[in-house]
Amino acid sequence: MAAILDTKAIAAYTFGSSREVLTAAADAIRSALADTARRTAVNNDLLEILSGDATTDAKDFACRQLWISGDAAAVPALANLLKDVKTADMARYALEKMECPEAGAALRDALGTAPSEVKAGIINSLAMRREENAVREIAKMTKNSDGSIAAAALDALARIATPQSLRRLEGAELASGLEPERDHALLFAAEQLAKNANKAAAREVYQNLSTEAHPEIIRAAALRGLSGLEDDTAQRNTHEEAARKLTRRKAK
Amino acid sequence: MSIRKTGRTYSRRGFLQRSASGIAGAVAFPYIVPGRALGLDGTTAPSNRIVIGCIGVGSQGTGNLKSFLPSKDVQVVAVCDVDKAHRDEAAAIINKTYDNNDCATYNDFRDLILRGDLDALSIAVPDHWHAIPAIEGAKNGLHMYAEKPLSLTIEQGRAMVDAVQRYGVTWQTGSWQRSVENFHHACELVRNGRIGEVHTVEVGLPTGRPNDPQPEMPVPEGFDYDRWLGPAPWAPYTKDRCHWNFRWILDYSGGQLTDWAAHHIDIANWGMGTEYTGPIEVVPVEWEFPRDGLWNAATQYKFYAKYPPGASPLAPKGFTMWVMNDEKTDFGMGTKFIGTEGTVWVTRGDERTEPKNLWKTAIKDDGIKLPRSRNHFRNFIECVRSGEQTITPIEPAHRAITVAHLGNIAMQLERNIRWNPETESIVADTQATRMLGRAMRGNWHI
């Protein structure tokens, strides 16, 4: 199918000028969403903008549109943008929500090749996608000297929330000062496990976190988590009351 | 009240008590503790005050700050804003109130949260910044009074609800209409079946307006623009992007629709008892997004949300909620409940019922009574002390703004959206599903 978008005009767009050309393009893209052939054609137009010498503003526009319309065919061009600090964020904007496994694979591969400045963001996108295949690579980063990367890795293992990621989270070697973050991450992981019908694993995490070895806010949250797992009302109330005492005993 | 910091638990009151003991024991020094400091003059002793830090002190945040300052049992000790002019101005107001120079100022909200002496936060930042400090605040055990609309996206809203519930902190949404008499009475009338079975609710919200393309401008001195953008995509600075005007740009907000849905859809849900559920379908009817200029949020909008039988105890056959800008209603702004036996319309400072004398009727003691508050800020402080739920908890705020977010998605895609309110997922529409959340810039994440 021939080009649908006015790629030349879009590629020249810069902030501050009229964006009517972008609005017209967005209209065309929206009307193509339900038609596979037309969607492929507009996506190809967007990829032409991404791979050419279009302005940064035009490439931003293309990434925003691919957030909605993009598919596996767009992944190689977007993966290329992950290598550049200036374009990596918008590449993730398009890739993070794509359902295709190719998007996850591109993000995972970028962990080894992208500049360190964008790695935390890539980990965050893998986390939001719950990329199980990235657990091993992410787990290696919990001890990264860049605190933002290490913290992102901990949170990602929690959000992915598979038995494997939980094991990695519990056993992770941590960068200095990140121990409290692991407690929060474990709470989050337990919550996800419970939501995903793995109550036994969630219960074990909560029980461990409810001991006196942990700060009160963690213990209280763990007790609340245990309460949520209970079918028995009396047991639920016991946990709730214990949590309340922990958080309120110093209340004014 | 305990504050977690670097994995240990600190007690602010314990610290103050130890300090006080030290003073009492230092008999060699003629140190006189003012009665005010001990609460002997009828004020609240410092150790019993709710200590607040404010994140975001632009016009809305400063207004909220001023509402906390008169309370004798509250002490505002710190402000944070990425605009130095804003934070300096807010600090000056606080220092003048307390007649000292103690208010600390921060550019980074994380530094404020980690002070270790706070009990609560007042958060009034642009919508794209709502989720991150709220989740960090919850992780640090801080109670929060936070501005509406709750979230930028449904995904972020759910993350906020989960965090607040996980850590058991008190949350008040700035949807203050619940603390106003006429809104409360209107909702109680509906809840008590005074207009019969409700089949339709109409919500009127402000009309938006477009602007022209704006030139890139130099970032003003003292304004940390990169941090203002925060998790949003990078964009050139121009004056009309920031501060109050963030509302009209979809990267940061959802326009007049989301700004006011957090008030009038919230009231609709309160009256209908649908605060913990949602519609099953959202249908766009009319919309207009600016085709040029900086602002791109809908200026004209009209959609309806279909609620199934059972969603509301007042609508056994289900009901339809219409949401539209005020030019499209016959009542302007507000919330209008339409039942088989009458109507109730309520807005700020006005109300109307059919039959007319319905408004004057009282709810008997054995009727359905909604929680009551007549001061939104005091309700928050009292709930921080008691551990009770505020008048506007976080989950209803999330459910109210979800309707508006779904409306925006439906209008942008120009198609019906089917919604599962139990799983909070869009049914059989992958493109719309993507719009439930957005990747965050840089290292920011929820």
Side-chain angles (χ1 to χ4, degrees):
Chain A
M1 189 176 280
I4 293 175
L5 307 181
D6 184 350
T7 53
K8 194 175 171 188
I10 297 168
Y13 170 76
T14 55
F15 176 81
S17 58
S18 167
R19 63 177 173 84
E20 283 183 356
V21 62
L22 304 187
T23 309
D27 289 345
I29 294 164
R30 183 173 49 251
S31 67
L33 288 176
D35 178 328
T36 306
R38 284 183 65 80
R39 193 176 73 239
T40 300
V42 294
N43 282 348
N44 285 341
D45 291 345
L46 293 170
L47 295 178
E48 184 186 320
I49 292 164
L50 282 186
S51 57
D53 57 357
T55 64
T56 303
D57 295 330
K59 288 183 178 180
D60 275 9
F61 170 78
C63 288
R64 287 169 187 275
Q65 296 301 315
L66 289 167
W67 168 46
I68 307 302
S69 69
D71 55 22
V75 170
L78 292 167
N80 206 35
L81 300 183
L82 288 173
K83 297 173 186 168
D84 187 336
V85 175
K86 289 179 184 164
T87 52
D89 284 330
M90 288 313 290
R92 287 195 299 108
Y93 197 94
L95 285 167
E96 187 173 295
K97 298 295 179 192
M98 278 188 194
E99 305 78 19
C100 59
E102 289 86 347
L107 287 161
R108 190 180 68 234
D109 292 346
L111 283 179
T113 57
S116 59
E117 296 97 309
V118 305
K119 281 190 179 174
I122 290 171
I123 294 168
N124 293 334
S125 288
L126 287 164
M128 295 305 287
R129 294 176 57 84
R130 300 196 63 221
E131 280 294 337
E132 297 181 34
N133 293 335
V135 165
R136 183 182 293 182
E137 285 84 351
I138 291 172
K140 291 175 189 166
M141 298 186 171
T142 57
K143 209 183 168 186
N144 197 290
S145 57
D146 181 332
S148 62
I149 292 175
L154 273 184
D155 286 351
L157 293 175
R159 189 173 285 273
I160 293 170
T162 59
Q164 186 204 5
S165 73
L166 179 63
R167 276 197 304 279
R168 299 274 185 177
L169 177 59
E170 288 174 324
E173 284 187 64
L174 300 183
S176 172
L178 273 184
E179 290 82 2
E181 284 306 313
R182 172 160 36 200
D183 283 352
H184 289 291
L186 284 167
L187 280 173
F188 189 91
E191 203 170 280
Q192 300 307 304
L193 288 163
K195 281 182 183 174
N196 297 330
N198 193 345
K199 287 189 176 183
R203 185 185 302 276
E204 194 177 330
V205 174
Y206 283 138
Q207 282 172 338
N208 287 338
L209 292 174
S210 65
T211 65
E212 291 190 5
H214 300 278
E216 288 172 353
I217 191 163
I218 298 293
R219 292 170 59 198
L223 286 164
R224 263 182 233 105
L226 283 172
S227 167
L229 298 177
E230 294 292 350
D231 295 323
D232 179 65
T233 307
Q235 196 63 34
R236 216 166 35 232
N237 291 342
T238 303
H239 289 313
E240 287 289 340
E241 186 54 30
R244 204 162 20 245
K245 278 183 180 167
L246 275 175
T247 50
R248 293 283 163 191
R249 74 182 186 193
K250 289 170 188 162
K252 303 157 203 170
Chain B
M1 191 151 294
S2 63
I3 303 292
R4 186 195 63 81
K5 193 172 183 182
T6 59
R8 297 172 59 190
T9 300
Y10 295 89
S11 162
R12 185 180 63 82
R13 191 158 72 163
F15 169 77
L16 288 174
Q17 281 170 339
R18 284 194 295 278
S19 301
S21 306
I23 291 166
V27 290
F29 298 94
Y31 190 91
I32 299 169
V33 181
R36 183 174 178 277
L38 297 173
L40 300 178
D41 63 347
T43 62
T44 307
S47 60
N48 281 329
R49 289 181 198 149
I50 303 296
V51 179
I52 294 180
C54 299
I55 300 175
V57 282
S59 53
Q60 187 68 48
T62 299
N64 294 350
L65 157 66
K66 286 177 177 174
S67 296
F68 282 118
L69 284 176
S71 291
K72 300 293 184 196
D73 60 346
V74 166
Q75 184 136 15
V76 183
V77 297
V79 295
C80 169
D81 201 291
V82 295
D83 189 330
K84 187 176 184 302
H86 285 179
R87 62 178 183 263
D88 286 350
E89 197 174 325
I93 292 167
I94 293 164
N95 288 336
K96 187 177 178 190
T97 301
Y98 297 141
D99 194 21
N100 61 29
N101 288 305
D102 294 348
C103 182
T105 58
Y106 299 91
N107 185 57
D108 187 334
F109 73 95
R110 293 168 297 191
D111 292 334
L112 177 139
I113 285 176
L114 289 176
R115 282 169 57 96
D117 63 347
L118 300 178
D119 298 314
L121 299 173
S122 171
I123 304 177
V125 290
D127 302 358
H128 68 287
W129 260 114
H130 280 189
I132 293 170
I135 292 169
E136 281 305 306
K139 285 167 74 174
N140 283 275
L142 299 177
H143 309 291
M144 287 172 272
Y145 182 105
E147 266 312 318
K148 40 58 58 177
L150 185 77
S151 63
L152 179 69
T153 66
I154 293 172
E155 182 178 85
Q156 290 178 23
R158 174 44 58 191
M160 294 168 76
V161 174
D162 287 350
V164 164
Q165 293 177 346
R166 186 182 313 134
Y167 295 102
V169 296
T170 299
W171 176 279
Q172 176 81 299
T173 317
S175 301
W176 52 263
Q177 290 180 174
R178 288 191 182 212
S179 290
V180 177
E181 176 67 34
N182 70 332
F183 288 103
H184 184 266
H185 186 55
C187 290
E188 282 197 340
L189 288 173
V190 175
R191 282 279 187 113
N192 282 276
R194 299 294 175 83
I195 58 170
E197 289 182 9
V198 181
H199 51 80
T200 305
V201 181
E202 294 178 357
V203 177
L205 311 171
T207 301
R209 63 188 176 92
N211 71 345
D212 294 325
Q214 300 296 310
E216 182 172 1
M217 298 174 179
V219 178
E221 196 176 333
F223 182 43
D224 187 344
Y225 178 58
D226 185 70
R227 191 169 294 271
W228 184 91
L229 284 172
W234 190 87
Y237 174 79
T238 192
K239 184 171 68 66
D240 284 353
R241 184 188 300 283
C242 300
H243 296 330
W244 190 265
N245 290 322
F246 77 84
R247 290 166 170 79
W248 328 130
I249 300 173
L250 292 171
D251 272 351
Y252 322 118
S253 186
Q256 293 279 20
L257 166 58
T258 54
D259 199 38
W260 279 79
H263 286 303
H264 292 316
I265 291 182
D266 178 55
I267 292 300
N269 279 341
W270 207 28
M272 294 301 291
T274 47
E275 304 163 88
Y276 292 88
T277 183
I280 54 170
E281 188 168 15
V282 173
V283 179
V285 178
E286 292 177 52
W287 57 88
E288 193 172 311
F289 292 89
R291 298 189 66 79
D292 202 357
L294 175 67
W295 300 339
N296 60 359
T299 51
Q300 298 278 332
Y301 47 94
K302 183 176 186 178
F303 63 88
Y304 62 89
K306 287 159 66 172
Y307 288 73
S312 166
L314 300 153
K317 296 173 189 157
F319 74 98
T320 302
M321 184 190 292
W322 285 87
V323 180
M324 56 201 123
N325 59 296
D326 53 358
E327 294 173 356
K328 295 178 171 57
T329 71
D330 60 6
F331 53 82
M333 302 241 305
T335 306
K336 184 177 183 180
F337 302 91
I338 305 171
T340 52
E341 296 168 30
T343 62
V344 173
W345 166 71
V346 63
T347 193
R348 295 183 180 183
D350 202 2
E351 62 278 326
R352 208 169 299 144
T353 59
E354 284 294 338
K356 285 192 172 60
N357 61 359
L358 174 61
W359 187 256
K360 299 288 184 189
T361 61
I363 305 299
K364 292 178 182 166
D365 288 343
D366 60 351
I368 295 170
K369 297 280 191 179
L370 292 171
R372 187 179 178 82
S373 156
R374 288 297 171 268
N375 183 317
H376 214 55
F377 297 92
R378 287 305 307 170
N379 175 257
F380 171 65
I381 295 301
E382 285 154 16
C383 290
V384 167
R385 290 189 183 285
S386 68
E388 297 294 316
Q389 191 158 266
T390 63
I391 192 87
T392 318
I394 192 164
E395 175 97 30
H398 173 58
R399 296 295 186 158
I401 206 59
T402 290
V403 178
H405 288 324
L406 290 173
N408 254 338
I409 292 171
M411 290 188 296
Q412 286 178 79
L413 290 178
E414 300 186 357
R415 63 190 185 220
N416 298 7
I417 300 295
R418 285 189 292 145
W419 176 246
N420 182 334
E422 297 297 318
T423 58
E424 292 191 271
S425 55
I426 286 172
V427 180
D429 187 334
T430 54
Q431 290 152 355
T433 296
R434 293 182 186 187
M435 298 175 78
L436 294 176
R438 302 173 200 172
M440 289 183 163
R441 189 173 69 106
N443 300 338
W444 298 111
H445 70 289
I446 52 173

